[in-house]
Amino acid sequence: DAGVIQSPRHEVTEMGQEVTLRCKPISGHDYLFWYRQTMMRGLELLIYFNNNVPIDDSGMPEDRFSAKMPNASFSTLKIQPSEPRDSAVYFCASSSAGTSGRARYEQYFGPGTRLTVT
Amino acid sequence: RKEVEQDPGPFNVPEGATVAFNCTYSNSASQSFFWYRQDCRKEPKLLMSVYSSGNEDGRFTAQLNRASQYISLLIRDSKLSDSATYLCVGPSGGSYIPTFGRGTSLIVHP
C-alpha cells in the first residue's frame, strides 16, 4: 500500500493568498484526520471525517479554514486568506474503525505539508 | 489543563541505558492509549498500544496505571536509532477524539 499521500510537500505563499492542501487516505480506511503541528502548540487536531462526513471541526481555528472530503479517497484543507501565523506542518492521517473501535486511534500519517506564509 | 501531558525533556542518555517516560491523562474514563514515535521533520508513526495488562514489544514496554492516571513507556538497552520524540495519545472525553501529548524528546548518545 502506498500509505497516506499528501500534496504539496512544501508550500510557500504570501499573506492573503489561498492555500489548498490535499490528502489521499489509505484505501479502505474510514476515518480521516487533519492535524497542524507547531513548536509552540504541538500536534493539534483540526477536523476529522468518518465515512466522508465531518464529525468534529471544533479544532478548526477560524472561518478562514475549511475542509472537505468529496469521496473516500480524497480530502482537502483550504485556508483563505492565509496569514503568517498559519505557518506550520499540516498532517493528514487515516485509520480504520476495525471491530473493536480502538483502531481509530491507530492512525497512519502522511508525510505532511510544510506551509510557510510570508 | 491539557487532557494528555508529557515531560518535554530532552532525555539525554548513553547507549545501552534504560529510560522511561510518563504521560499523565485527566479523563479517568479513558481506556485507549497509544505511543507514537516521531523522527525529526517526519510524520508520527505508531509505536505500540497500551493495554491495561501491560504490553511488551522487544526492548519496549508500555504500561497503564489507572489509579494514578498515567501511562509509561520503558525502553531498555537504548540504541542511537531510538533518538526521536515520543508522543502519547489518548481519547478526549467520551467522544473518541484522539488527543496527542506534546511529546518527550529522547537523545541517545554514544
Side-chain angles (χ1 to χ4, degrees), chain A residues 37 39-40 105 107 110, chain B residues 34 36 38 43 96-97 102:
Chain A
Q37 187 173 40
M39 289 293 293
M40 290 294 293
Y105 302 112
Q107 300 176 38
Chain B
F34 297 82
Y36 280 71
Q38 185 173 23
E43 71 272 22
Y96 302 106
I97 297 174
R102 291 289 301 274

